[in-house]
Amino acid sequence: MILSNRARQTFKDAISCSIMSAMESLGIFVRVVEAGSFTGAARIIGTTPSAVSKSMARLEARLGFRLFRRSTRAFTLTAEGERYFERVAPLVRGIEQAGEGIGAGTEASGHLRLSMPADFGRILVNALTVGFHQLHPKVQLDLSLSDRHVDLIREGFDAAIRVGHVPDTGLIARPLGRLPMALVASPDYLARHGTPTCVADLEAHAHVRYMLAGRAFPLMFEAGEFLPPRGVLDADSGEALRIAARNGLGITQILKASVADDLASGHLVEVLPQVPLASVPVQVLHAYARAVPERAAALLRFLGSAMARWTV
């Protein structure tokens, strides 16, 4: 049978669409497995969970075997799904990295999702919404200010800023310096309870303590001393520590940058400034291996420069 030119073109277009649809499904499949859910993959891709589910159903129909064991709340991979992921994931990542590598050096654009601690984030948001946005107006920022440690891959974040020591998670960590800490209290609290003149005096005072992994973080001094303070209020948020200290509940150990305005206005006073606390490392984490998207590379460059004003 001889096909007309129009029929041949229609046939070619159909094959092309089928190939493109199959490639798209493979990418979605990898995202679903990495995110751990259809909802998480949909958030990363920028579509709906229903669209992801339908794409996976079409992929399973083409393959002729089930990839997932579905339940009402989650899924697990079948044995066939696990083997398929092991073969497909490197191919999909290779294609994505090739595209990112060619695009490197182009203008930064697209959606950029960043997580950062709430207290330090209040300061950094100003730099991002003014400095970074002016430099890269085509980047759409999505900022999450929370002390919760997000899962970058499963929750679809490009990067996360972490203050303090970070355990080995397999992510890429780029050091940004060290942030000074300070002991602060309100003038009212110090007027009522007296001003400490040495480290030993701190034991008699009430403290607003930072909670880390369910435990109160001790006062850590640069000379190596540490003191478990007596707590009157515990919180896992730096912003909560700042507010409680301003309201006169006690002394708190906090990032100096996050209370700079309070110190300047006199709402808070530095306690024992002659006895420096140990500074804490700050780093930005990301999950990109060799090929970093330009939007993320632009953020890393900006943070490396902007953080210099707060770090030591």
Side-chain angles (χ1 to χ4, degrees), residues 116-169:
M116 66 189 88
D119 54 338
F120 189 66
R122 289 186 304 107
I123 305 166
L124 196 55
V125 163
N126 185 60
L128 288 168
T129 54
V130 177
F132 184 80
H133 181 68
Q134 288 180 348
L135 289 171
H136 308 287
K138 292 185 178 180
V139 175
Q140 179 190 349
L141 289 170
D142 180 349
L143 306 178
S144 173
L145 276 65
S146 171
D147 288 355
R148 180 179 69 88
H149 285 188
V150 301
D151 187 316
L152 269 70
I153 295 175
R154 291 187 181 275
E155 298 181 52
F157 283 89
D158 290 278
I161 295 172
R162 299 274 171 82
V163 176
H165 295 283
V166 176
D168 184 9
T169 59

Side-chain angles (χ1 to χ4, degrees), residues 3 12 35 53-54 75 87 169 179-180 186 200-201 204 228 262 278 282 303-304:
L3 297 176
K12 289 179 181 178
S53 179
K54 290 176 181 177
F75 71 80
R87 294 187 179 186
T169 59
L179 292 169
S186 70
D201 289 348
D262 295 297
V282 57
L303 290 175

Side-chain angles (χ1 to χ4, degrees), residues 163-165 181 183 207-221 226-231 233-236 241 251-254 277-281:
V163 176
H165 295 283
M181 302 290 289
L183 285 176
H207 291 262
V208 179
R209 305 183 302 182
Y210 181 68
M211 298 297 290
L212 182 66
R215 301 176 65 181
F217 199 73
L219 305 183
M220 304 287 292
F221 294 91
F226 71 93
L227 175 70
R230 177 175 62 87
L233 183 145
D234 297 334
D236 61 0
L241 302 185
I251 298 172
T252 193
Q253 176 180 230
I254 197 168
L277 293 169
S279 59
V280 293

Side-chain angles (χ1 to χ4, degrees), residues 232-243:
V232 65
L233 183 145
D234 297 334
D236 61 0
S237 160
E239 179 65 1
L241 302 185
R242 185 184 74 87
I243 293 171

Side-chain angles (χ1 to χ4, degrees), residues 17-305:
C17 288
S18 177
I19 293 172
M20 291 299 292
S21 177
M23 289 298 297
E24 182 179 314
S25 294
L26 294 182
I28 294 174
F29 170 63
V30 172
R31 289 291 175 267
V32 167
V33 177
E34 291 178 338
S37 69
F38 289 176
T39 301
R43 188 184 301 116
I44 295 171
I45 298 167
T47 185
T48 65
S50 175
V52 171
S53 179
K54 290 176 181 177
S55 177
M56 293 301 91
R58 290 193 295 269
L59 178 59
E60 287 177 328
R62 280 198 298 267
L63 294 172
F65 54 81
R66 299 294 295 271
L67 296 168
F68 307 100
R69 296 188 191 93
R70 294 173 176 83
S71 68
T72 55
R73 302 184 65 180
F75 71 80
T76 57
L77 284 174
T78 63
E80 293 81 5
E82 290 179 358
R83 290 196 296 270
Y84 193 65
F85 176 76
E86 291 173 358
R87 294 187 179 186
V88 167
L91 300 176
V92 171
R93 293 191 188 111
I95 292 171
E96 291 175 346
Q97 289 175 357
E100 295 288 2
I102 293 172
T106 60
E107 185 177 5
S109 62
H111 186 258
L112 179 67
R113 198 168 187 217
L114 173 65
S115 169
M116 66 189 88
D119 54 338
F120 189 66
R122 289 186 304 107
I123 305 166
L124 196 55
V125 163
N126 185 60
L128 288 168
T129 54
V130 177
F132 184 80
H133 181 68
Q134 288 180 348
L135 289 171
H136 308 287
K138 292 185 178 180
V139 175
Q140 179 190 349
L141 289 170
D142 180 349
L143 306 178
S144 173
L145 276 65
S146 171
D147 288 355
R148 180 179 69 88
H149 285 188
V150 301
D151 187 316
L152 269 70
I153 295 175
R154 291 187 181 275
E155 298 181 52
F157 283 89
D158 290 278
I161 295 172
R162 299 274 171 82
V163 176
H165 295 283
V166 176
D168 184 9
T169 59
L171 299 170
I172 309 299
R174 176 173 176 175
L176 296 173
R178 299 185 69 87
L179 292 169
M181 302 290 289
L183 285 176
V184 299
S186 70
D188 174 67
Y189 173 84
L190 296 176
R192 287 184 285 113
H193 299 279
T195 300
T197 59
C198 64
V199 172
D201 289 348
L202 293 171
E203 296 186 41
H205 282 266
H207 291 262
V208 179
R209 305 183 302 182
Y210 181 68
M211 298 297 290
L212 182 66
R215 301 176 65 181
F217 199 73
L219 305 183
M220 304 287 292
F221 294 91
E222 190 177 81
E225 298 176 88
F226 71 93
L227 175 70
R230 177 175 62 87
V232 65
L233 183 145
D234 297 334
D236 61 0
S237 160
E239 179 65 1
L241 302 185
R242 185 184 74 87
I243 293 171
R246 277 192 52 152
N247 289 337
L249 270 69
I251 298 172
T252 193
Q253 176 180 230
I254 197 168
L255 290 175
K256 193 169 186 177
S258 70
V259 292
D261 291 342
D262 295 297
L263 292 172
S265 66
H267 288 107
L268 289 173
V269 176
E270 192 167 359
V271 176
L272 294 179
Q274 74 277 15
V275 186
L277 293 169
S279 59
V280 293
V282 57
Q283 51 265 306
V284 57
L285 307 182
H286 65 84
Y288 299 105
R290 289 169 295 177
V292 180
E294 182 56 26
R295 65 182 186 278
L299 173 70
L300 297 178
R301 291 194 298 268
F302 179 81
L303 290 175
S305 174

